[in-house]
Amino acid sequence: ALHPPSDFTRMLRRHRPQTAQSFLPTFEEKRETSQEWALVARRLVNRLQLLAVGMGVAVAALGALIPRFAGSLFTQDLSVVAAMKPLAMPLFLAGAFHGFICSAEGVLLVRRDLGFLGKIYAASAIIMPAVLLQLKRRAAPVPEIWTAFVWFQAIRALILNLRVRLSDGGGAPAKVV
């Protein structure tokens, strides 16, 4: 089976944005007090998301270089090395979306939008395994499986980030529960 070095890249993607997000609760709590705090909180959210996305893209690019150019580090079997090369782009895309997802989840956790997150997690736990089972039944090639994962990540990123933006109130003070 072809597995990316995900533990290392996951560590790099998560720790720096999580440290930066530790400042967000204070700003989100003060957000309901004035227009000025609401705008400051919105700017912080935007900066944190840019940081997370930048880290996600950088680490995804690094991770995608391995199957594209350095598959022989893991095996000397040339057929496996050749099979790894087409996985570079879907690996990059899936990894790049991870920053969008983690940053949006962090913001929604701070805003205590737990009902929404619970529904997303439940839907994800049902939908993706069902898709993977369908791909298994069709004996889909590995690149097609990774492409399905890219779509899964893209849809999650879109839904979560729409929720962040729509629950923002356009910079207006918002009630934090």
Side-chain angles (χ1 to χ4, degrees):
L2 302 174
H3 298 283
S6 60
D7 289 339
F8 176 71
T9 59
R10 189 177 303 125
M11 177 196 68
L12 287 177
R13 277 195 300 253
R14 287 195 175 161
H15 291 294
R16 188 168 178 189
Q18 282 179 345
T19 301
Q21 281 183 345
S22 66
F23 297 101
L24 188 56
T26 301
F27 285 83
E28 284 290 320
E29 287 171 7
K30 292 183 178 187
R31 179 176 181 204
E32 66 183 79
T33 63
S34 73
Q35 181 76 17
E36 182 179 344
W37 273 109
L39 291 172
V40 169
R42 185 178 202 194
R43 286 187 192 122
L44 180 61
V45 166
N46 290 340
R47 287 182 183 137
L48 291 173
Q49 288 198 289
L50 281 173
L51 175 64
V53 168
M55 289 291 292
V57 168
V59 172
L62 181 65
L65 290 175
I66 294 169
R68 182 73 180 116
F69 299 108
S72 61
L73 291 174
F74 297 100
T75 182
Q76 296 303 314
D77 186 333
L78 296 179
S79 66
V80 173
V81 172
M84 289 175 71
K85 288 186 183 207
L87 301 179
M89 184 54 73
L91 173 62
F92 167 73
L93 292 171
F97 282 122
H98 195 68
F100 284 103
I101 292 166
C102 286
S103 63
E105 285 175 341
V107 171
L108 294 171
L109 282 169
V110 166
R111 292 181 183 167
R112 293 180 179 85
D113 198 349
L114 304 180
F116 177 78
L117 285 170
K119 290 173 188 166
I120 289 294
Y121 295 148
S124 295
I126 293 167
I127 293 169
M128 192 58 190
V131 169
L132 290 173
L133 285 172
Q134 279 297 108
L135 291 170
K136 180 181 177 182
R137 285 185 191 113
R138 289 192 305 118
V142 174
E144 190 175 333
I145 295 167
W146 273 96
T147 301
F149 187 63
V150 168
W151 279 107
F152 174 71
Q153 290 286 80
I155 291 167
R156 286 179 56 211
L158 176 67
I159 291 169
L160 289 166
N161 281 282
L162 278 173
R163 182 66 171 208
V164 166
R165 297 299 166 209
L166 294 175
S167 67
D168 184 24
K175 178 84 172 138
V176 178
V177 181

